[in-house]
Amino acid sequence: MIELTGVHKSFGAKRVLRGVDLRVGRGQSLVIIGGSGTGKSVLLKCILGLFRHDRGHITLEGENVDKAERDAFMARFGMLFQGGALFDSLTVWQNVAFRLLRGALKRPAAEAREIAVEKLRRVGLPPDVAELFPSELSGGMQKRVGLARAIAAAPDIIFCDEPTTGLDPIMAGIINELIREIVVEMGATAMTITHDMTSVRAIADRVAMLHDGVVKWEGAVADMDAAQDPFLRQFITGAARGPIKVVG
């Protein structure tokens, strides 16, 4: 469904992506792992067209993302942001229904609210949460609201950027389980960025290890622990010694 071939991206003299090759099948859940600053978020932003890649090709179902009609293209994606990225001045239901209240996907307010309440229910939040503001929610509840917003417009593709950052282990487990269940229910294609190996094992069908701007290893999550790639081994075991050099 998504294919990247020889994708490069630099910011001035800093080369972030140095020839990324990656394929994500329809309905597949791919998790991208790698250290901080290795280009994981840049890669997602290039796919979304928020950054324009310098060289290479990115296609969605064979269509070049650079040539896609933007509104129709973006309508296919849902995004769960690392920090939640909820709008403080909007109620919870207005946050969830944000895309349904404007643009090409616009619905009547009453219908949009009904959809929002249903999506909140799907992520385990009761209807009375709909009228609260984000500041009245715990971190775990905010993350669930962010997930409800990501799926509100029934996207084909869901991107998750560090979905469990800042959550306690129990809430992180709940979010991981919700993501996995929802992706399977919707038949959506998912790409997730995470440092959390528990999330990797809970969410992924396949795993790609990004380091120094290229994919060092890619394969089924079931094959990850037995893989002999030294970069992957060091990352998943947290070893201080290995080919990945930590500066600072």
Side-chain angles (χ1 to χ4, degrees):
M1 189 169 193
I2 302 171
E3 185 168 6
L4 297 90
T5 306
V7 173
H8 290 251
K9 179 62 183 176
S10 298
F11 297 93
K14 183 175 178 58
R15 299 174 63 200
V16 179
L17 304 179
R18 305 182 180 213
V20 173
D21 297 312
L22 196 60
R23 298 181 70 182
V24 189
R26 175 180 290 278
Q28 193 174 85
S29 178
L30 174 76
V31 174
I32 302 174
I33 61 174
S36 298
T38 55
K40 302 185 300 298
S41 293
V42 171
L43 184 64
L44 290 193
K45 289 176 181 178
C46 285
I47 295 172
L48 287 168
L50 301 177
F51 289 157
R52 192 176 185 89
H53 54 288
D54 303 323
R55 281 192 287 150
H57 300 281
I58 303 176
T59 60
L60 175 63
E61 292 189 320
E63 181 182 13
N64 191 315
V65 299
D66 292 332
K67 299 178 180 178
E69 196 281 315
R70 292 305 298 171
D71 286 345
F73 176 77
M74 294 302 291
R76 302 188 66 178
F77 291 87
M79 183 80 187
L80 174 59
F81 296 94
Q82 180 174 340
L86 301 179
F87 297 103
D88 293 339
S89 60
L90 301 181
T91 62
V92 164
W93 83 261
Q94 289 170 328
N95 267 281
V96 173
F98 187 80
R99 296 175 70 179
L100 303 177
L101 293 170
R102 52 190 48 77
L105 300 174
K106 189 172 182 179
R107 309 280 186 89
E111 181 182 346
R113 188 186 185 283
E114 185 177 338
I115 292 171
V117 169
E118 169 58 25
K119 299 308 179 185
L120 289 169
R121 183 206 60 76
R122 179 59 193 86
V123 299
L125 294 175
D128 59 349
V129 170
E131 298 300 334
L132 299 179
F133 286 89
S135 60
E136 300 175 273
L137 307 179
S138 68
M141 292 174 75
Q142 289 185 21
K143 192 73 77 168
R144 292 198 211 188
V145 172
L147 181 56
R149 180 176 61 185
I151 64 173
D156 296 330
I157 304 157
I158 300 173
F159 283 173
C160 302
D161 189 357
E162 297 287 358
T164 58
T165 294
L167 301 180
D168 65 68
I170 295 174
M171 183 53 66
I174 291 171
I175 294 297
N176 287 334
E177 188 174 307
L178 279 171
I179 291 172
R180 185 64 189 178
E181 289 176 356
I182 287 169
V183 167
V184 171
E185 283 176 14
M186 296 177 62
T189 302
M191 290 185 71
T192 301
I193 292 172
T194 187
H195 294 94
D196 183 354
M197 294 309 301
T198 301
S199 293
V200 174
R201 300 178 198 283
I203 296 171
D205 295 318
R206 299 188 69 79
V207 178
M209 165 95 187
L210 192 65
H211 179 74
D212 201 23
V214 297
V215 175
K216 290 291 187 181
W217 184 87
E218 192 268 338
V221 66
D223 298 333
M224 181 176 63
D225 289 323
Q228 296 304 305
D229 180 85
F231 291 90
L232 179 68
R233 297 298 312 156
Q234 183 182 359
F235 188 85
I236 66 176
T237 60
R241 296 183 179 181
I244 301 173
K245 305 303 178 186
V246 179
V247 179

